[in-house]
Amino acid sequence: MEEKVLYLGLEESELSFNLDKAVCNHGFFMMPPNRWNSSAKTLQRPLRLSDGQASLTVSISHPPNLPYLLIHLQNHPSSSLSSQDHNTILEQVRRMLRITERDERDVREFHKVCPQAKEKGFGRVFRSPSLFEDAVKSILLCNCTWTRTLQMAQALCDLQLELTKDNKTSDRKRKRGKNRKPSKGGKCKKDDSELTCSKIGNFPTSKELASIDEIFLENNCPILGYRAKYILKLAKHVENGKVRLDEIEKLAAAEKASIEQVYRKLMNIDGFGSFVSANVLMCIRHYQRIPADTETIRHLQQVHGRKECNKKNIQQEAQEIYEKYAPFQCLAYWMELLDYYENKFGKLSDLPESSYGTISGRLKPIGN
């Protein structure tokens, strides 16, 4: 089968962009279906095609000294892909790696207020191909260990693979209480230079999750716990129009966007507390609020000597420390946190996937 390669030009981001640093800076890159090949320095995962339903596994690399990324389309006949499919794939890669004029402007402005970030090559925080995936993964960060967060993301990808199989063979209307053991998803193995995968599940869309009921989700993904009802409600509200993530993202992208207005809209969504809302804000290019959790308290106590920092005064303490980096307070905080992890564990881009579960001291967020 002929392998198709797409090219994504870096354009104005050419000088500041580094694939390792653009990917391996946030826990999202460790969460399925993302798979980072630490030896080949490539990112692999399924992406949606233009119909919003079918998925295609891609492998993203950045050859040295070239002003573009290579996007290898795996296990798919290139002749069956339309120009719309190609554009949809490219847009998802741009979003994940923040390769836009607006993102490049943010990187340059952040480097002005935080010169050490420029020295480190830090300024892009990895995110998902869609805001819905960012939002659900932010919920998965709440009130649990990092290992469980990774397991929950994998469970949802396994479920998506099952839903895709069922969609091809039968009516997918889920009956209350009916359940079936999900598959283990695709298997991956490393050869000398590449990470090769069989069919792996994508992260489910709002439409896919809205097609099932809460009991089905709880039975097939019991590891989600209380989060199942919030994830399912979000999916159903996105599908019926009660929650307009597209409008929220559009509002956030406006030149004179009000962060407080965007934040209030997020806080009004069931399951979105201050932590989830601040994390989602970071995913839509607003960095003024820091997603505060117990790891934030640890960081401010140990790194900044704020021994009295606790869940009641964390926002005030963070504001005092990071106000000088406005409007990029969250980026400055995240740069420090990344330094802490890499000083303790080594470069995240060099770590094997088997060690991902150890890369966090965070126990739980302060409010979901």
Side-chain angles (χ1 to χ4, degrees):
M1 184 179 295
E2 179 185 358
E3 185 181 67
K4 178 74 175 180
V5 179
L6 300 182
Y7 299 86
L8 177 59
L10 296 173
E11 299 176 351
E12 65 273 0
S13 300
E14 180 181 352
L15 295 179
S16 68
F17 187 84
N18 177 288
L19 183 62
D20 293 26
K21 295 180 182 297
V23 174
C24 305
N25 55 52
H26 188 287
F28 277 4
F29 94 88
M30 301 181 189
M31 295 173 70
N34 299 309
R35 284 190 166 98
W36 173 256
N37 185 336
S38 58
S39 58
K41 305 302 182 189
T42 59
L43 174 66
Q44 185 181 62
R45 66 159 290 154
L47 294 176
R48 298 285 171 173
L49 299 183
S50 58
D51 64 4
Q53 299 180 32
S55 296
L56 173 67
T57 299
V58 307
S59 180
I60 305 166
S61 62
H62 185 202
N65 303 317
L66 291 182
Y68 52 80
L69 303 181
L70 298 181
I71 305 170
H72 293 264
L73 314 182
Q74 300 181 355
N75 301 319
H76 200 287
S78 59
S79 59
S80 68
L81 297 176
S82 67
S83 59
Q84 290 89 345
D85 290 328
H86 293 170
N87 290 336
T88 299
I89 291 169
L90 293 174
E91 281 305 310
Q92 290 172 90
V93 176
R94 285 191 186 98
R95 188 181 195 280
M96 286 191 296
L97 303 179
R98 299 185 188 258
I99 305 175
T100 67
E101 183 178 345
R102 166 71 182 273
D103 287 306
E104 179 61 22
R105 187 172 74 233
D106 284 346
V107 169
R108 293 175 181 178
E109 291 300 316
F110 174 52
H111 286 172
K112 289 179 181 178
V113 298
C114 185
Q116 59 266 46
K118 184 175 183 178
E119 296 173 6
K120 297 174 182 294
F122 177 82
R124 290 176 169 84
V125 178
F126 183 74
R127 57 182 178 173
S128 304
S130 71
L131 183 55
F132 179 76
E133 183 175 330
D134 283 331
V136 174
K137 285 185 171 178
S138 295
I139 293 173
L140 299 185
L141 294 172
C142 293
N143 299 311
C144 63
T145 62
W146 176 237
T147 298
R148 183 171 177 178
T149 291
L150 296 175
Q151 292 170 341
M152 288 189 289
Q154 184 63 61
L156 285 171
C157 293
D158 291 344
L159 176 65
Q160 190 277 335
L161 186 59
E162 287 299 315
L163 295 177
T164 301
K165 290 177 181 178
D166 287 352
N167 190 38
K168 295 179 179 178
T169 58
S170 64
D171 177 29
R172 279 189 27 218
K173 197 69 175 178
R174 302 294 168 185
K175 303 301 181 183
R176 182 171 295 277
K178 183 179 179 182
N179 70 88
R180 184 157 39 88
K181 186 177 180 180
S183 75
K184 296 299 183 181
K187 301 295 184 181
C188 290
K189 61 180 180 179
K190 289 186 180 179
D191 57 27
D192 292 337
S193 61
E194 293 293 336
L195 185 68
T196 58
C197 291
S198 62
K199 177 67 176 177
I200 57 177
N202 202 344
F203 202 83
T205 63
S206 56
K207 184 176 182 179
E208 287 169 333
L209 287 175
S211 71
I212 63 178
D213 66 23
E214 186 175 332
I215 291 180
F216 182 89
L217 181 58
E218 290 174 347
N219 288 340
N220 286 272
C221 297
I223 194 171
L224 294 178
Y226 77 90
R227 301 163 196 82
K229 65 179 180 180
Y230 291 115
I231 291 171
L232 195 60
K233 182 178 287 189
L234 174 63
K236 291 183 181 296
H237 283 183
V238 168
E239 287 303 302
N240 65 26
K242 288 185 178 179
V243 172
R244 296 295 304 272
L245 291 179
D246 56 339
E247 290 187 356
I248 291 175
E249 193 157 23
K250 184 177 180 180
L251 176 64
E255 285 296 327
K256 296 184 179 180
S258 165
I259 182 177
E260 290 305 318
Q261 183 182 3
V262 178
Y263 183 70
R264 286 195 299 271
K265 284 182 175 292
L266 291 171
M267 287 288 287
N268 285 333
I269 299 174
D270 285 346
F272 281 37
S274 58
F275 175 84
V276 171
S277 296
N279 209 64
V280 172
L281 278 177
M282 180 171 62
C283 293
I284 52 179
R285 304 189 184 99
H286 284 279
Y287 306 103
Q288 293 93 325
R289 287 183 175 269
I290 292 172
D293 59 8
T294 54
E295 186 71 343
T296 313
I297 294 175
R298 179 208 59 76
H299 181 75
L300 298 194
Q301 289 177 344
Q302 294 182 4
V303 176
H304 292 279
R306 301 293 180 112
K307 302 302 183 183
E308 303 303 317
C309 182
N310 55 56
K311 65 180 182 180
K312 292 183 178 180
N313 65 11
I314 178 61
Q315 290 296 341
Q316 178 182 343
E317 296 279 1
Q319 175 74 7
E320 292 176 2
I321 293 170
Y322 298 106
E323 176 63 23
K324 62 184 177 181
Y325 300 110
F328 303 106
Q329 294 95 315
C330 187
L331 286 181
Y333 162 71
W334 211 261
M335 180 188 69
E336 291 181 356
L337 207 57
L338 180 62
D339 281 348
Y340 169 81
Y341 288 138
E342 295 202 326
N343 286 334
K344 185 174 182 180
F345 299 104
K347 286 185 63 177
L348 299 189
S349 62
D350 291 339
L351 296 176
E353 186 177 346
S354 59
S355 68
Y356 285 174
T358 66
I359 313 301
S360 181
R362 175 185 50 76
L363 296 177
K364 59 182 180 179
I366 301 167
N368 61 345

